Amino acid sequence: MNGKQIIPFLTTKSLHPENQESPINFLNEWQTPIKYFYRRNHFTYPFLTQHHFWIQISGQVHQPRFFHYNEILSMPSKSLIVPLECAGNKRVNFIPKVYGEQWEEGAISQGKWTGVSLKDILENVGLSQNAQEIVFEGADFGKKPGMHENIPFERSLPLEKALHPDTIIAYKYNDKPLSFKHGYPFRLIVPNWYAMASVKWLSKIKVIDDAYKGPFQTDDYVYYPHEDSDRDKFPVTILNVNSIIQQPIHLSILNIGIHEIKGIAWTGNGSITELQLSFDKGETWKYATLNSLLNQDYAWSSWSYIWKVEKKGEYAIYSRAKDSSGRIQPQTPFWNRKGYGYNAVSKITVKVE
Amino acid sequence: MNGKQIIPFLTTKSLHPENQESPINFLNEWQTPIKYFYRRNHFTYPFLTQHHFWIQISGQVHQPRFFHYNEILSMPSKSLIVPLECAGNKRVNFIPKVYGEQWEEGAISQGKWTGVSLKDILENVGLSQNAQEIVFEGADFGKKPGMHENIPFERSLPLEKALHPDTIIAYKYNDKPLSFKHGYPFRLIVPNWYAMASVKWLSKIKVIDDAYKGPFQTDDYVYYPHEDSDRDKFPVTILNVNSIIQQPIHLSILNIGIHEIKGIAWTGNGSITELQLSFDKGETWKYATLNSLLNQDYAWSSWSYIWKVEKKGEYAIYSRAKDSSGRIQPQTPFWNRKGYGYNAVSKITVKVE
């Protein structure tokens, strides 16, 4: 009986533009079903035309040209399991509060992206000697608060990252053509970087000979460590080492007995090597069981821990992940004015009755 | 194109049992569409049988008997616009934090309920002289945390409230048969009371000659003002005077210019007479425009205020409702251990760029 089906939903943060987060606490899959993939937009959805089935490549290249959808689909492809995480994920946890979408833990989703290496495309057109950065323009555009002109969503990558063979122009997600809301027909996928780099509705690629200065690169998606000054700012790039406790739910009431504590952990620098749990507010740490996908360098790890609780009371549970580059989730959040990259130790409390 | 449709969703708090809140910030209707009606369950959904098309009435009555669905549908009916609000709505705002579902503002929904007056049913069977309370049993049952036996969801009403002609046994919501998740075939609707009184899947009505003491009446749904003692406890009954700011969204970033501030306000004691807004943290208050439904004693009021903002900066906006019984939302929340009835002044901050 359909009326009895119990399923989670995206959580609505705003509708114009659409920003909805994934019900991450209630998902178990390695590949997030598309209906549960978080939606993060800066602008209203673009109006697609036949133009958007062509990607234009121009600037510091030997042979500026257009690539048609069919041509791209005919090229050698690769498939990668890659999580995308909004740089503002977990923003709601910052104290003092910061403005912007109040993402909880669900501005992250993961699935199988299929496409062609950007490298192959760039080699086809031939980079000039003075090529410095590659700029990616999406078909979506609008006004930023406080600005008067329409601008497209646009970001750049340094040459090294652009030429990494796993930076792909994706046209499939979980073995189906990209859905419209997630960039159809083309989305740049930049593994290990926060998702602002993975430009949706990719329309234009421009090779430039200097440093790109667009507002989504030098105004937004910049860490500003101080409230009243831009001093010490630096750009948002790779994912911090991070984890969430999916179950149990923060502030829930449990029975005495055995409970599975479970979650996921991820990093943009290597792989997850440890997931530690503390039941004494960080004094001592225990190891959770980690599960990782074979031969997938970017996918999150899932973890679980069997917890036997015999006494009524209130329990704090902390989780922190460690990665192969030696990074570990910090005790104290790195506060920054626009609220990016939150990755302090994850904390829940539960009551056992 | 279906893939472009932008709609809000319920927000998932737990799946077993199902607890999901309404995307109240994004709804404008007087009658919440059923798919956006919040879902609050103590137990897994009941398995319905033909039994549930009969309501049994027993106890202190002259003629104990069963009423069949068809008989109830053949009786004189009435339709009322009634909001239902979970007593735990806004629980997330309590400090110190309290355990239980962390409802934000969406554990409230409203629509048109159609059914027969409970009074007519009770008069049909004839109350005995010593009748004191009426007990309502739902078909849903399970274990409460820390308890070992299955118990049904069950609540009582004092005679006076049970005999109010607007306390109805509803079988339609928004002109359609109740949906399964909201109590099909029968749901008690108790206007003005928090929604724990509006028992779903109503199966049995028992008239008793003393005070009902079940756990959903004397353990849960009780205000406990102290952390470590049950002193001064009193039962949860009527809705507090309350309001929410639906738009703009807390911590959002707006342009300079004209914005509509809008929301709803409600009470369980009379009607809303004022909605006040403060832009100076409660020093001074302005009046919003109130809209109420004609001849609907219980429905929420909607309100709006045109706000012209000419200077960049951060703005705090407070809202508080006042009702015809003279109650007004308090500055300070009434903290209680189980987190019921939160109705302190609603506060948001926005940044204008």
Side-chain angles (χ1 to χ4, degrees):
Chain A
M1 183 171 167
N2 195 40
K4 289 190 180 188
Q5 201 189 2
I6 303 177
I7 56 169
F9 298 100
L10 296 174
T11 300
T12 311
K13 299 293 173 185
S14 75
L15 290 180
H16 307 289
E18 183 174 16
N19 285 297
Q20 309 213 52
E21 70 177 270
S22 183
I24 191 81
N25 295 84
F26 306 101
L27 300 180
N28 296 306
E29 300 90 341
W30 291 104
Q31 298 182 206
T32 309
I34 191 63
K35 73 172 176 176
Y36 292 136
F37 205 106
Y38 77 96
R39 300 173 185 168
R40 197 277 177 265
N41 290 283
H42 298 82
F43 301 124
T44 54
Y45 287 107
F47 183 78
L48 290 190
T49 68
Q50 286 304 314
H51 283 303
H52 297 108
F53 289 87
W54 295 91
I55 295 181
Q56 181 184 16
I57 307 200
S58 62
Q60 307 297 318
V61 296
H62 298 312
Q63 297 229 297
R65 56 166 291 208
F66 289 80
F67 286 82
H68 188 262
Y69 187 68
N70 294 338
E71 181 177 359
I72 288 181
L73 265 65
S74 74
M75 295 172 67
S77 71
K78 67 191 322 178
S79 293
L80 300 165
I81 306 277
V82 177
L84 293 185
E85 182 186 12
C86 173
N89 194 22
K90 301 191 179 186
R91 178 180 286 138
V92 70
N93 297 316
F94 280 110
I95 295 171
K97 291 286 185 191
V98 294
Y99 292 90
E101 262 59 50
Q102 297 298 297
W103 301 108
E104 301 189 45
E105 300 182 324
I108 181 170
S109 300
Q110 170 178 284
K112 188 206 284 187
W113 302 95
T114 302
V116 301
S117 289
L118 175 63
K119 186 171 185 282
D120 294 349
I121 299 275
L122 294 176
E123 283 174 356
N124 180 290
V125 294
L127 291 180
S128 306
Q129 277 289 334
N130 51 353
Q132 285 277 341
E133 290 189 8
I134 320 285
V135 179
F136 304 91
E137 182 179 325
D140 51 329
F141 64 89
K143 290 184 179 64
K144 287 192 72 192
M147 291 181 68
H148 294 286
E149 284 144 52
N150 281 333
I151 53 165
F153 184 76
E154 197 176 63
R155 291 268 316 174
S156 84
L157 285 178
L159 225 47
E160 186 190 354
K161 187 68 186 171
L163 292 173
H164 189 290
D166 291 344
T167 296
I168 61 175
I169 297 177
Y171 49 79
K172 279 189 176 175
Y173 177 74
N174 290 352
D175 302 314
K176 292 195 179 143
L178 293 188
S179 74
F180 169 72
K181 289 191 174 181
H182 297 282
Y184 179 81
F186 300 116
R187 178 171 197 170
L188 186 68
I189 295 294
V190 184
N192 282 337
W193 282 45
Y194 280 108
M196 72 282 154
S198 294
V199 175
K200 287 175 281 195
W201 309 289
L202 179 63
S203 304
K204 293 180 186 167
I205 298 175
K206 285 161 279 186
V207 181
I208 61 173
D209 60 5
D210 57 357
Y212 176 71
K213 294 267 197 288
F216 293 107
Q217 190 121 348
T218 59
D219 178 15
D220 289 346
Y221 301 113
V222 171
Y223 293 106
Y224 299 99
H226 309 292
E227 174 63 56
D228 297 317
S229 146
D230 288 358
R231 194 162 42 89
D232 305 326
K233 69 177 180 179
F234 60 101
V236 173
T237 58
I238 66 168
L239 301 177
N240 288 328
V241 61
N242 219 331
S243 68
I244 58 169
I245 300 170
Q246 293 173 293
Q247 294 288 338
I249 299 289
H250 182 41
L251 295 168
S252 59
I253 301 170
L254 306 177
N255 278 307
I256 283 177
I258 290 170
H259 298 280
E260 184 185 22
I261 306 172
K262 63 190 283 284
I264 57 173
W266 64 95
T267 179
N269 195 354
S271 56
I272 295 295
T273 53
E274 291 176 16
L275 190 291
Q276 307 177 354
L277 288 176
S278 176
F279 298 89
D280 53 12
K281 303 198 169 180
E283 288 279 304
T284 63
W285 296 86
K286 297 168 190 289
Y287 294 98
T289 304
L290 274 180
N291 289 292
S292 304
L293 279 178
L294 270 184
N295 301 320
Q296 290 292 346
D297 292 342
Y298 308 108
W300 62 45
S301 297
S302 70
W303 58 267
S304 66
Y305 183 90
I306 301 301
W307 182 44
K308 192 172 172 185
V309 54
E310 292 171 325
K311 262 175 56 181
K312 293 184 183 187
E314 300 181 25
Y315 293 86
I317 305 172
Y318 291 8
S319 88
R320 69 177 183 193
K322 193 174 171 183
D323 70 21
S324 55
S325 74
R327 303 190 306 172
I328 191 163
Q329 288 179 253
Q331 187 67 25
T332 311
F334 169 61
W335 187 92
N336 62 96
R337 197 169 73 222
K338 294 209 174 191
Y340 298 122
Y342 189 99
N343 79 325
V345 169
S346 309
K347 302 178 181 182
I348 63 166
T349 40
V350 296
K351 188 176 193 175
V352 175
E353 284 190 350
Chain B
M1 182 170 165
N2 194 41
K4 289 191 180 187
Q5 201 189 2
I6 303 177
I7 56 169
F9 298 100
L10 296 175
T11 299
T12 310
K13 299 294 171 184
S14 74
L15 291 180
H16 307 289
E18 184 173 17
N19 284 296
Q20 308 212 52
E21 71 177 270
S22 184
I24 191 82
N25 294 85
F26 306 100
L27 300 181
N28 297 305
E29 299 90 340
W30 291 105
Q31 298 182 207
T32 309
I34 191 64
K35 73 172 174 176
Y36 292 135
F37 205 106
Y38 78 96
R39 301 174 185 168
R40 197 278 176 264
N41 291 282
H42 298 81
F43 301 124
T44 54
Y45 287 107
F47 183 77
L48 290 190
T49 67
Q50 286 304 316
H51 282 303
H52 297 108
F53 289 86
W54 295 91
I55 297 180
Q56 181 184 17
I57 307 200
S58 62
Q60 307 297 317
V61 297
H62 298 312
Q63 296 230 297
R65 57 167 288 208
F66 288 82
F67 286 82
H68 187 263
Y69 188 68
N70 293 339
E71 180 178 0
I72 287 180
L73 264 66
S74 74
M75 293 172 67
S77 71
K78 69 192 319 179
S79 293
L80 300 165
I81 307 276
V82 176
L84 293 185
E85 182 187 12
C86 172
N89 195 21
K90 301 190 180 187
R91 178 179 286 139
V92 71
N93 297 315
F94 280 110
I95 296 172
K97 292 285 185 192
V98 294
Y99 292 88
E101 261 60 48
Q102 296 299 297
W103 301 108
E104 301 190 45
E105 300 182 325
I108 181 171
S109 300
Q110 170 177 285
K112 188 207 282 188
W113 303 95
T114 301
V116 301
S117 289
L118 175 64
K119 184 171 186 283
D120 293 349
I121 299 277
L122 294 176
E123 283 174 356
N124 179 290
V125 295
L127 292 179
S128 305
Q129 276 290 334
N130 51 351
Q132 284 278 342
E133 291 189 9
I134 319 285
V135 179
F136 303 91
E137 183 180 324
D140 52 328
F141 64 89
K143 290 184 178 64
K144 288 192 72 191
M147 290 182 69
H148 294 285
E149 282 145 53
N150 280 334
I151 53 164
F153 184 75
E154 197 177 62
R155 291 268 316 172
S156 83
L157 285 179
L159 223 48
E160 187 190 353
K161 188 68 185 170
L163 292 174
H164 189 292
D166 290 344
T167 296
I168 61 175
I169 297 176
Y171 49 79
K172 280 188 175 176
Y173 177 73
N174 290 352
D175 302 314
K176 290 191 180 147
L178 293 188
S179 74
F180 169 71
K181 289 190 173 181
H182 296 283
Y184 178 81
F186 299 117
R187 179 172 196 170
L188 187 68
I189 295 293
V190 185
N192 283 336
W193 282 45
Y194 281 107
M196 72 283 154
S198 293
V199 175
K200 286 176 281 196
W201 308 290
L202 179 63
S203 304
K204 293 182 187 166
I205 298 175
K206 285 161 279 185
V207 180
I208 59 174
D209 59 5
D210 58 357
Y212 176 71
K213 294 265 196 291
F216 293 106
Q217 190 120 349
T218 59
D219 177 16
D220 288 347
Y221 301 113
V222 173
Y223 293 107
Y224 299 98
H226 309 292
E227 174 62 55
D228 297 316
S229 144
D230 288 357
R231 195 163 42 88
D232 304 327
K233 69 177 180 177
F234 60 100
V236 173
T237 58
I238 66 167
L239 302 177
N240 288 327
V241 61
N242 218 331
S243 69
I244 59 169
I245 300 170
Q246 292 173 294
Q247 294 287 337
I249 298 288
H250 181 42
L251 294 168
S252 60
I253 301 171
L254 305 178
N255 278 306
I256 283 176
I258 291 171
H259 297 280
E260 184 186 21
I261 306 172
K262 63 189 284 283
I264 56 173
W266 64 94
T267 179
N269 195 353
S271 56
I272 295 295
T273 53
E274 290 176 18
L275 190 291
Q276 307 177 355
L277 289 176
S278 175
F279 298 88
D280 54 11
K281 304 199 168 179
E283 289 279 303
T284 63
W285 295 86
K286 297 167 190 291
Y287 294 97
T289 304
L290 273 181
N291 290 292
S292 304
L293 281 177
L294 271 184
N295 300 321
Q296 291 292 346
D297 292 344
Y298 307 108
W300 62 44
S301 296
S302 70
W303 58 266
S304 66
Y305 182 90
I306 300 301
W307 183 44
K308 192 173 174 186
V309 55
E310 293 171 325
K311 262 176 56 182
K312 294 183 183 188
E314 301 181 24
Y315 293 86
I317 305 172
Y318 291 7
S319 88
R320 67 177 184 193
K322 193 174 170 182
D323 70 21
S324 56
S325 74
R327 303 191 305 172
I328 191 164
Q329 288 179 253
Q331 188 66 26
T332 311
F334 169 61
W335 188 92
N336 60 97
R337 197 168 72 222
K338 294 207 174 192
Y340 298 122
Y342 189 98
N343 78 325
V345 169
S346 308
K347 300 179 181 181
I348 64 166
T349 41
V350 296
K351 188 176 192 175
V352 175
E353 285 190 348

